[in-house]
Amino acid sequence: MTTPKLGLLPKILIAIILGIICGLFLPTWLVRVFVTFNGLFGSFLSFMIPLIILGLIAPAISELGTGAGKWLGITAAIAYGSTLFAGFMGWAAASAFLPSLLRGREAASFDNPEDALLAPYFTVEMPPALSVMTALVLAFVVGVALTVVKGDTLLKGFVEFREIVNKVIVAIIIPLLPLYIFGIFLNMTKVGEVWAIITTFLGVILLVFALTLTLLLIQYSVAGAIAHRNPLTMLKTLLPAYMTALGTSSSAATIPVTLRQTIKSGVAEPIASFVIPLCATVHLAGSTIKITVFSLAVMMLYGMEIRPMAIVGFIFMLGITMVAAPGVPGGAIMTAAGLLASMLGFNEAQVGLMIAIYIAIDSFGTATNVTGDAAIAHVVATLARRANHPGATSATPA
């Protein structure tokens, strides 16, 4: 009798639990061994992310055929609308609940958790051949061009390149992700700085967590209604992607798992291969809801004036400026730092506090981002099916 194979979700859950437990007693030298592995694997991920985006999006767009540019626009518009909805939802909830949650609290300063984390013994630089945005734009240009250019030589080349990318994902990235996530939680637990921030802002963090879950339920309810599928079943299928993002804190690094689970949930592979890498760079609903709520919390703690039109402009700009951020854990808040200073009037200490709070629970926003990507994929797949578009035939849900 064969032993049942342990799925990715249980492996990730075990990695998180073991990381937290082992971080309480393992010696620093041993923790740094795992940190060194994480540095190497993280560099490899950074190297592969642009190639994954190019290798998956370009052939997927070409398989959409004539009108691919239209589906690019539709997908980007849905993603941006979802991001804006998240920002305004966070603003409404913050206005309703933060005054009571923050009553009696004072502003405090914390170190950036990334500065407190243990360093690896050595690092190996693996500079990406392309930046995330360059890969995204190149994939758009090549993919759309392949739909109108006669001949299939280049198309065959990109299809074979996609096979190479998929082999790397299946044989290297996904098997090593649990160990990578173990190392992240091991390091966080060992240094303890993250937990100091979490306990100070516990009420706000619980509010943000509740908002991210509510946002996912709304996204999947809408997607389920449009696709005529059970939203809870769809959401359950994406749990491995959610848990992977909790460990990696990077939407782009989670693309392989998100893509696999999206196809399992019933989205045709050509649509999923197009929408998921695209949304990993343009759909940041979870990050937006976090940044909006935490920025309002900092403003209330410091007694700053909250001007409605400034918040509106901030939310609209946030969805645009964070587009290049998902390749790097914590990238969203780093990208938003300029807006915090220029649009909301944050000083250096307040921006530093925002970075510390955000990075302490960065993974929850990222997990919401990637899980919501699949909801958008279901919507786009349904619209494409109704338009009788090639490559939009529904997959069979797992």
Side-chain angles (χ1 to χ4, degrees):
M1 181 166 40
T2 57
T3 305
K5 194 174 181 181
L6 196 62
L8 180 61
L9 179 58
K11 289 179 181 176
I12 293 170
L13 289 172
I14 292 170
I16 292 172
I17 294 169
L18 287 178
I20 294 172
I21 294 172
C22 293
L24 299 174
F25 65 85
L26 284 184
T28 299
W29 69 265
L30 184 55
V31 173
R32 289 186 65 193
V33 171
F34 289 98
V35 172
T36 302
F37 165 79
N38 273 26
L40 297 173
F41 186 72
S43 295
F44 179 72
L45 269 181
S46 298
F47 172 79
M48 281 301 302
I49 284 167
L51 301 181
I52 289 173
I53 290 171
L54 179 61
L56 295 181
I57 291 184
I61 292 175
S62 69
E63 288 167 356
L64 286 175
T66 306
K70 178 182 76 173
W71 294 108
L72 278 172
I74 290 173
T75 305
I78 294 172
Y80 186 58
S82 173
T83 300
L84 290 181
F85 175 81
F88 286 108
M89 176 182 166
W91 183 16
S95 301
F97 298 109
L98 285 187
S100 57
L101 287 175
L102 297 176
R103 188 174 293 118
R105 299 265 183 183
E106 294 181 357
S109 61
F110 297 92
D111 294 329
N112 185 336
E114 286 193 337
D115 295 334
L117 294 175
L118 295 176
Y121 284 112
F122 63 89
T123 59
V124 176
E125 294 296 327
M126 304 180 198
L130 305 166
S131 70
V132 169
M133 280 306 298
T134 301
L136 189 61
V137 174
L138 183 60
F140 290 165
V141 173
V142 172
V144 174
L146 287 174
T147 65
V148 295
V149 172
K150 293 180 180 179
D152 59 359
T153 303
L154 187 59
L155 175 58
K156 286 181 179 177
F158 270 95
V159 169
E160 291 176 0
F161 181 55
R162 176 172 62 188
E163 292 177 7
I164 294 172
V165 167
N166 283 330
K167 288 286 185 183
V168 173
I169 289 171
V170 172
I172 300 175
I173 295 177
I174 288 180
L176 289 177
L177 271 176
L179 183 59
Y180 179 63
I181 290 169
F182 167 80
I184 289 172
F185 278 84
L186 180 71
N187 199 351
M188 287 170 57
T189 304
K190 187 67 178 177
V191 300
E193 178 72 23
V194 170
W195 309 117
I197 297 172
I198 289 176
T199 53
T200 301
F201 286 87
L202 184 59
V204 184
I205 290 168
L206 291 176
L207 173 63
V208 169
F209 181 65
L211 287 174
T212 58
L213 293 183
T214 303
L215 178 64
L216 285 176
L217 290 173
I218 292 171
Q219 288 173 334
Y220 276 85
S221 295
V222 172
I226 292 174
H228 301 294
R229 296 195 177 179
N230 186 326
L232 295 181
T233 301
M234 293 157 59
L235 191 52
K236 181 182 176 182
T237 307
L238 267 295
L239 277 178
Y242 185 93
M243 297 305 297
T244 301
L246 281 182
T248 64
S249 296
S250 168
S251 296
T254 312
I255 287 174
V257 180
T258 312
L259 177 60
R260 188 182 74 169
Q261 298 307 122
T262 302
I263 294 170
K264 279 188 176 182
S265 72
V267 177
E269 186 170 350
I271 298 292
S273 296
F274 158 65
V275 174
I276 295 304
L278 172 61
C279 284
T281 57
V282 301
H283 182 229
L284 294 109
S287 298
T288 298
I289 208 168
K290 275 178 54 187
I291 291 175
T292 302
V293 173
F294 281 128
S295 61
L296 288 166
V298 171
M299 292 175 80
M300 291 180 187
L301 285 171
Y302 278 90
M304 299 168 65
E305 181 186 0
I306 298 175
R307 295 173 288 114
M309 291 311 297
I311 303 299
V312 169
F314 176 73
I315 292 171
F316 271 92
M317 288 301 299
L318 201 56
I320 297 172
T321 57
M322 289 195 301
V323 165
V328 183
I333 188 60
M334 299 304 180
T335 308
L339 294 180
L340 291 170
S342 63
M343 300 189 74
L344 299 184
F346 277 39
N347 60 30
E348 187 176 338
Q350 291 158 350
V351 170
L353 178 57
M354 272 292 296
I355 292 173
I357 302 168
Y358 186 92
I359 290 179
I361 59 163
D362 182 22
S363 54
F364 287 107
T366 305
T368 306
N369 293 342
V370 303
T371 309
D373 293 347
I376 293 177
H378 274 280
V379 173
V380 174
T382 303
L383 295 176
R385 242 184 353 259
R386 290 174 182 173
N388 295 318
H389 207 279
T393 306
S394 177
T396 303

